[in-house]
Amino acid sequence: MTSSTPVAAVPAPARHSWLRWRHSLRLRLVLLFLLLGLAIAAVFVSGIRKGFNQGWEAAVRPLAMDYVDRLAADIGSLPDVARAQALAQRLPIAIHISGPVTNWDSEPPRGRRVAPRNERDASLFTRQTADGHRIVFRLSFSGARGDGPPPILWYTLAALLLLTALAYWRVHRMLLPLQGISAGARRFGTGDFGTPIATGNERNADELTTLAQEVNGMADNLRQMLDARRDLLLAVSHELRSPLTRARLNVELLPEPDDAEARTAHKALLRDLALMRDLIQDLLESERLSTPHALLQREPTDLAQLAHGAVAELARAQPAAAAIAVNADPHLPLLDLDRTRMQLLLRNLLDNALRHSPSDTSPAVSIAHGDRGNVVLEVRDYGDGVPEAQLPHLAQAFYRPDSARQRSSGGVGLGLYLCRLVAEAHGGRFAVRNARPGLAVSITLPLQG
């Protein structure tokens, strides 16, 4: 058995939780709406601002230039720092004076830029005095806003977070039907068609309600098809069982033929009748075990002894089965099992392994304690195995790796399917893997039924 290396950096629950959030449709929708809203707001504000500036610049610019001229004249040709400081304290402006005599700034730059950004700003906010000094005016709101950002920024951020939470809540409410559809699909996948998906109020039906109704209709059609198939199989199996039993009894009561050819034909006929009997039994058992809560006749059972008995019984029909080795842990406890169903499981596993083993090798059976307080039964052959892509389908009903239906190359595809049903009916697990060489089928059974 191969083992996987655990991821130590992120615990499994946290990793799965992150994956759920990462692939959450409602979260992606909220983020999409948020980004779309921010993009629309940015485009709208940018357009309005540009249009407003272009519309008012022609009217405001002459007034601003005249006002800046008056401020520069008030400071004087040889700039008076006291007057400049009084203007800076009275008005929301910052004043920077540089020249051969006076160098002063009402607000120390602290690394920020004091030069005009372009020629238009220079002509509007910069004045050159006759004595060679340069006066730069800037708008300043430092006295009004204090040391931190203005409260409106915090209000805007809080409103944005509140709108995001409301959007997530609304999207979550809108997508709630998806959870019901997902749960219903899981129920239908396990064969539970008793509880349909709730579709809510028909008057407020939307696309998700329509989807739920269509899934319910699909599930109802599947249930009808499965019921029809089950009824047909049960009817055909029951109708064939009685005449087949009579035919086998009549053949067994016939006198032993004298010549060798007739005896060979007589044995072949009995063998074919036995195969037909086993096939009908498999069909009936598959339908009984496929229903939920299949009834089991449990009793304390020695699994190793049961495996030895199955090998001996198979050896009476196929002498090559006598070479099958059963390796069992001598300290295995008794298990609470249905002996008839476990015999059916062992017969199918051994027959399947024997059929696919080369003539010079024999299958191997091992029974040992598992790693989680359970018992593991494994039957392995030494044949060619199957492609990895076909492993998940081997335990499906009527599935065969090849398209042929000859008994000599694999029966009709019910053996491993029945084994899986028997294991699951006992609360166990069924697994199949390529053992290289061969195929290994393991049945994990709990110690307590």
Side-chain angles (χ1 to χ4, degrees):
M1 298 290 290
T2 59
S3 61
S4 58
T5 303
V7 180
V10 181
R15 184 172 66 254
H16 294 163
S17 177
W18 160 245
L19 290 177
R20 286 197 300 270
W21 278 102
R22 181 183 178 185
H23 299 288
S24 172
L25 178 60
R26 60 177 61 90
L27 181 60
R28 285 184 287 172
L29 284 176
V30 170
L31 290 178
L32 176 62
F33 294 155
L34 180 61
L35 292 176
L36 182 61
L38 292 176
I40 293 176
V43 172
F44 178 78
V45 171
S46 177
I48 292 296
R49 182 179 179 182
K50 193 171 184 61
F52 182 83
N53 290 340
Q54 291 177 353
W56 284 87
E57 185 177 6
V60 173
R61 188 175 181 83
L63 297 176
M65 292 185 68
D66 183 70
Y67 187 71
V68 170
D69 289 339
R70 291 178 181 273
L71 292 177
D74 194 17
I75 294 174
S77 176
L78 180 61
D80 189 340
V81 173
R83 291 182 180 180
Q85 187 173 7
L87 288 176
Q89 292 177 352
R90 182 167 55 90
L91 301 174
I93 59 174
I95 303 174
H96 174 74
I97 302 174
S98 60
V101 178
T102 304
N103 289 279
W104 176 82
D105 197 331
S106 63
E107 291 182 2
R110 297 176 185 176
R112 55 184 169 82
R113 180 178 180 178
V114 298
R117 292 176 299 178
N118 49 52
E119 293 182 0
R120 293 176 61 86
D121 288 348
S123 64
L124 180 60
F125 297 109
T126 304
R127 293 296 180 269
Q128 199 77 26
T129 63
D131 56 0
H133 285 83
R134 183 168 174 261
I135 305 176
V136 179
F137 299 91
R138 300 185 306 275
L139 293 175
S140 174
F141 300 97
S142 60
R145 71 173 182 238
D147 295 332
I152 187 63
L153 295 181
W154 297 112
Y155 298 152
T156 303
L157 179 60
L160 183 61
L161 293 176
L162 178 61
L163 290 175
T164 302
L166 291 176
Y168 180 83
W169 174 80
R170 183 56 185 165
V171 171
H172 176 75
R173 290 292 299 263
M174 292 172 59
L175 298 182
L176 274 179
L178 283 179
Q179 298 181 1
I181 295 174
S182 177
R186 288 193 296 269
R187 290 196 305 271
F188 300 154
T190 58
D192 180 11
F193 299 99
T195 306
I197 301 172
T199 56
N201 191 351
E202 298 292 336
R203 292 179 298 179
N204 299 325
D206 55 8
E207 289 84 355
L208 292 179
T209 303
T210 304
L211 176 62
Q213 293 172 348
E214 292 177 352
V215 173
N216 282 336
M218 178 192 67
D220 189 59
N221 292 333
L222 288 174
R223 180 186 58 79
Q224 294 179 9
M225 288 189 293
L226 291 174
D227 289 344
R229 190 203 69 169
R230 181 178 295 110
D231 293 341
L232 177 62
L233 286 175
L234 290 175
V236 171
S237 300
H238 280 295
E239 291 299 327
L240 288 177
R241 172 180 278 185
S242 296
L244 183 62
T245 302
R246 292 195 299 268
R248 180 175 175 82
L249 181 60
N250 292 331
V251 173
E252 289 177 346
L253 292 177
L254 289 176
E256 185 74 18
D258 296 333
D259 58 298
E261 184 176 354
R263 285 195 298 271
T264 302
H266 184 266
K267 292 181 180 179
L269 181 57
L270 287 174
R271 185 170 58 253
D272 291 339
L273 289 173
L275 292 177
M276 292 178 65
R277 177 201 61 199
D278 293 340
L279 176 58
I280 292 175
Q281 181 181 355
D282 290 350
L283 286 172
L284 291 173
E285 283 298 324
S286 66
E287 293 307 318
R288 293 193 187 102
L289 292 171
S290 62
T291 58
H293 310 293
L295 295 177
L296 299 178
Q297 302 297 326
R298 294 177 180 266
E299 57 181 307
T301 303
D302 186 341
L303 185 57
Q305 182 181 1
L306 204 64
H308 284 289
V311 170
E313 182 181 356
L314 184 62
R316 286 194 289 269
Q318 303 181 51
I324 297 178
V326 178
N327 300 313
D329 190 331
H331 304 292
L332 287 174
L334 296 179
L335 301 178
D336 199 20
L337 305 174
D338 186 320
R339 295 180 61 88
T340 303
R341 267 59 183 269
M342 288 304 299
Q343 287 172 347
L344 176 64
L345 178 145
L346 288 166
R347 173 174 64 82
N348 280 286
L349 286 182
L350 294 173
D351 183 64
N352 182 77
L354 192 63
R355 185 184 303 115
H356 294 93
S357 292
S359 58
D360 57 343
T361 60
S362 297
V365 180
S366 65
I367 308 173
H369 284 282
D371 55 353
R372 295 183 180 179
N374 47 37
V375 174
V376 179
L377 163 69
E378 184 175 272
V379 178
R380 174 186 176 181
D381 64 66
Y382 293 88
D384 298 329
V386 298
E388 292 291 334
Q390 295 181 357
L391 287 178
H393 307 288
L394 289 181
Q396 295 178 359
F398 303 107
Y399 178 83
R400 283 169 46 86
D402 58 338
S403 59
R405 292 289 176 179
Q406 290 87 5
R407 184 70 184 181
S408 60
S409 61
V412 296
L414 276 177
L416 294 181
Y417 171 65
L418 264 175
C419 294
R420 178 174 67 83
L421 292 181
V422 172
E424 292 175 352
H426 284 82
R429 298 191 306 272
F430 174 96
V432 59
R433 62 182 176 88
N434 276 317
R436 294 184 177 85
L439 196 72
V441 181
S442 61
I443 307 295
T444 304
L445 298 170
L447 292 178
Q448 300 295 331

